[in-house]
Amino acid sequence: MALFKKTKPNEVEVPLKRRVGVPNGLWTKCEACKEALYTKVLEENLKVCPKCGYHFRLTSKERVNLIMDEGTFTENCGRLVALDVLAFPEYKEKLKKNQETSGLDDAVVTGEGRIGGMQVAIGLTDSSFMMGSMGSVVGEKIARIIELAIGRKCPLIIVSSSGGGARMQEGILSLMQMAKTSAALAKLAKAKLPYICILTDPTGGGVTASFGMLGDITIAEPNALICFAGPRVIEQTIKQKLPKGFQRAEFLVSQGFVDMVVQRKNMKETLVKVLKYFKPAEHN
Amino acid sequence: MDRLDFDKSIIELEKKIEELKKMTESKAIDFSDEILKLEIKAEKMRKEIYEKLTPWQRQQVARHMQRPRTLDYVGRIFEDFTPLSGDRLFKDDPAIIGGPAMFEGRPVMIIGTQKGKDTKDSIHRNFGMPNPEGYRKALRLVNMAAKFGWPVISFIDTAGAFPGLGAEERGQAEAIAKNLRDFSTAETQIIIVVHGEGGSGGAIGIGVGDKVLMLENAVYSVISPEGCAAILWKDSSKASNAADVIKMTAHDLLELGVIDEIIKEPSGGAHRNYDKTAAEIKAALKRNLAEIKPLELHDLLERRYQKFRNMGKFLEITAEAAGAGKAG
């Protein structure tokens, strides 16, 4: 399975700018084991370190390529950009810079397409844009994709890479997006449609405490940080180091808040397997 | 933080009035003219100073140790409150109180975060910062209220959900997320009263309802001014600047469409007059309950959905005119 493919005509053109950790060089140092990896090999291995299994962060576009059937994904729910409602210091500049480096309007991509031939609505937050934090745009687009799933009567998948939680720069309106997205998920549940939630590194704060914890089935990538309060905040509160593996995906499975940890290479087949349970019964 | 800088002159004058009153009583010298004059002066001072409070000063009022706590209001507004305990899953969380009470002759369900009245009580209440079991207890009570058709009144006064080891282990995020979802569809009226601090996820975790009311000097924010300053300027002592930036006062929130109504506080703040503040809240509750009471359940829930669905401001780039679109 190749992560990087030719851009399909129905896909929005997104420049593949490199992020921290994976410079556009020949060699990439693994963030976990520090091994120097041949970038091409790393990318062929879905950006998972062949030495230690560390899962590098993916952009929303890379994630779409990973799990959606080739050429089936189309973006929808409009193009929304953030407003600097609070006149918050440096927010405008930050938005502009992140738009340039990520090629995205904001920290979310929504659309529809097929997985294993099955129609799904999908929303993905993207840590390459202000750490995937949720302001009005992320909240609105997530709400729209949920409502689209209800309209289409199809399953919903949300992939989170939102270490930033609720976006500080939009103040209280960011907090309200937690209520907005969670209320929309209540509507989806009422329509008896499935929500599969995929938590990737990192997912924190207001995103974990809203659509991140409301999946019918919740899947996480290995070692993903999934938390409400960040590790540093907790260490400051309790004034001691956190145990190893605390707030990591495997820990959340054992605590009962995530159903399973799935390797990146197995993510698509896992989705295909679980989506089958929700297929409407075929008429004979 | 018993004394606020901007409060000093008022307190001095109030003390003087008290002394004169005592003298009038004990020595039988009549100072009533003088007292009346000073009282008018004090009232004027309270009004003037409190009208012009900066966001950071309001935050200090909201955090004042003498500011009424949720239970102070419960005792003054409702009759026959019966506190209930526990989430039926793990334990009781003293940072969140709740239970049925009578309001104007009808049963209601009360939930709310509770800060302590003194050091010992504060420790017992974890300084009003709930753990997951607190949020689960609140949801248990909301579900009970829905079952019996009792309106829910939710009182918010918390610095935030507790960022502790156990809270994470027991799913703080899951508890809050589930409340957001299930409060949005709970089949009864819900009125929220933010009366002190509205600390981020810890506040919204019991903050979804049909009406959101807020006391004049209460604050409600995604992050504390200290936290904001630490991120912005790597310096939490610049919190007063951050308080301006983050837009956390009742007036800001009314303008942003996040709250429905500001409840007036007595001049000089809620801590100067518990009874009067409680009476204002009571009147607001009565009025707002009367407004939503006649709604059919379906309409009530759809309004609640749309209320939060419409929160947020952004620019939509339309296909025809990229760059100039409507703000939602």
Side-chain angles (χ1 to χ4, degrees), chain B residues 15-300:
Chain B
K15 262 191 191 155
K16 206 167 173 188
I17 295 170
E18 274 312 299
E19 276 166 24
L20 288 177
K21 277 185 181 167
K22 266 186 203 152
M23 277 164 77
T24 308
E25 271 168 37
S26 59
K27 293 181 184 163
I29 314 167
D30 189 10
F31 285 113
S32 47
D33 284 354
E34 183 76 351
I35 291 170
L36 189 67
K37 256 189 229 161
L38 289 180
E39 269 180 344
I40 291 168
K41 193 179 166 196
E43 177 65 13
K44 200 170 157 235
M45 248 166 109
R46 282 191 294 259
K47 265 218 168 89
E48 281 176 3
I49 290 174
Y50 271 74
E51 252 168 31
K52 287 188 208 129
L53 291 185
T54 65
W56 175 242
Q57 288 171 329
R58 278 192 211 281
Q59 163 91 68
Q60 289 174 294
V61 176
R63 284 179 187 165
H64 199 291
M65 258 317 278
Q66 263 104 53
R67 194 166 171 86
R69 305 308 196 203
T70 293
L71 286 173
D72 293 318
Y73 292 128
V74 170
R76 285 170 174 81
I77 297 171
F78 307 94
E79 288 99 50
D80 298 328
F81 171 56
T82 305
L84 302 179
S85 293
D87 63 350
R88 298 296 184 269
L89 296 161
F90 179 64
K91 67 191 291 191
D92 185 50
D93 184 352
I96 289 196
I97 60 98
M102 298 302 284
F103 182 65
E104 302 279 299
R106 311 188 70 153
V108 294
M109 181 65 85
I110 292 160
I111 56 173
T113 50
Q114 173 72 13
K115 289 184 182 174
K117 294 295 284 180
D118 51 41
T119 308
K120 199 177 152 211
D121 191 29
S122 292
I123 292 166
H124 172 60
R125 305 280 182 193
N126 197 32
F127 299 88
M129 293 185 282
N131 275 285
E133 45 275 18
Y135 293 104
R136 290 178 183 131
K137 168 178 163 182
L139 183 58
R140 174 197 151 213
L141 298 184
V142 166
N143 285 335
M144 189 201 289
K147 179 157 86 176
F148 300 114
W150 303 340
V152 174
I153 320 288
S154 176
F155 289 91
I156 295 178
D157 180 22
T158 178
F162 187 59
L165 198 84
E168 292 289 314
E169 283 174 341
R170 298 192 295 278
Q172 189 76 288
E174 192 270 350
I176 291 172
K178 193 182 265 175
N179 280 14
L180 297 177
R181 185 191 67 191
D182 292 357
F183 276 47
S184 82
T185 52
E187 297 186 345
T188 187
Q189 300 89 354
I190 304 177
I191 296 186
I192 314 293
V193 183
V194 184
H195 65 83
E197 282 187 280
S200 199
I204 191 81
I206 56 164
V208 172
D210 303 300
K211 290 279 182 181
V212 183
L213 319 179
M214 192 164 163
L215 280 193
E216 201 179 350
N217 293 313
V219 292
Y220 192 1
S221 174
V222 70
I223 188 168
S224 71
E226 290 90 340
C228 178
I231 295 173
L232 256 185
W233 302 296
K234 312 263 175 277
D235 183 358
S236 57
S237 67
K238 287 188 179 157
S240 58
N241 304 45
D244 293 334
V245 163
I246 201 77
K247 302 276 191 295
M248 61 198 307
T249 67
H251 287 282
D252 291 328
L253 268 63
L254 189 67
E255 210 165 282
L256 290 167
V258 170
I259 62 165
D260 298 286
E261 187 179 322
I262 299 172
I263 302 173
K264 286 286 269 179
E265 288 184 28
S267 64
H271 57 281
R272 284 208 158 73
N273 197 333
Y274 283 27
D275 290 339
K276 205 170 167 198
T277 315
E280 292 282 350
I281 296 176
K282 185 173 185 174
L285 284 177
K286 237 172 106 172
R287 185 160 22 81
N288 280 280
L289 264 180
E291 189 192 320
I292 56 175
K293 218 52 214 250
L295 292 172
E296 295 280 338
L297 188 63
H298 174 271
D299 297 338
L300 180 80

Side-chain angles (χ1 to χ4, degrees), chain A residues 78-81 83 85-86 88-89 136-137 140 143-144 147 166 168 170-173 175-180 182-184 186-187 208-210 213-214 227-229 233-234 237-238 242-243 246-247 251 255 257, chain B residues 136 161-165 168-174 176-178 180-181 184-185 200-201 204 208 220-223 228 231-233 245-247 253 256 258 302 305 308-317 327:
Chain A
R79 281 193 66 191
L80 310 184
V81 289
L83 289 172
V85 178
L86 308 188
F88 199 93
S136 292
V137 171
E140 177 67 20
R144 284 188 187 182
E147 288 170 344
M168 177 180 74
E170 290 180 35
I172 194 79
L173 292 177
L175 192 71
M176 294 302 129
Q177 305 309 309
M178 293 167 63
K180 181 199 248 180
S182 302
K187 284 219 158 177
T208 317
S210 59
M213 280 288 139
L214 295 173
C227 60
F228 176 64
V233 176
I234 300 172
T237 310
I238 63 171
L242 291 171
F246 191 69
Q247 300 179 314
F251 174 82
Q255 289 299 119
F257 294 105
Chain B
R136 290 178 183 131
F162 187 59
L165 198 84
E168 292 289 314
E169 283 174 341
R170 298 192 295 278
Q172 189 76 288
E174 192 270 350
I176 291 172
K178 193 182 265 175
L180 297 177
R181 185 191 67 191
S184 82
T185 52
S200 199
I204 191 81
V208 172
Y220 192 1
S221 174
V222 70
I223 188 168
C228 178
I231 295 173
L232 256 185
W233 302 296
V245 163
I246 201 77
K247 302 276 191 295
L253 268 63
L256 290 167
V258 170
E302 189 53 30
Y305 181 72
F308 288 90
R309 180 68 186 80
N310 291 327
M311 284 187 196
K313 295 198 189 302
F314 50 82
L315 187 76
E316 180 141 22
I317 301 173

Side-chain angles (χ1 to χ4, degrees), chain A residues 52-66:
Chain A
C52 73
Y54 173 73
H55 284 54
F56 283 77
R57 290 171 187 175
L58 296 187
T59 63
S60 46
K61 184 181 164 65
E62 289 166 344
R63 185 75 57 182
V64 162
N65 289 340
L66 178 77

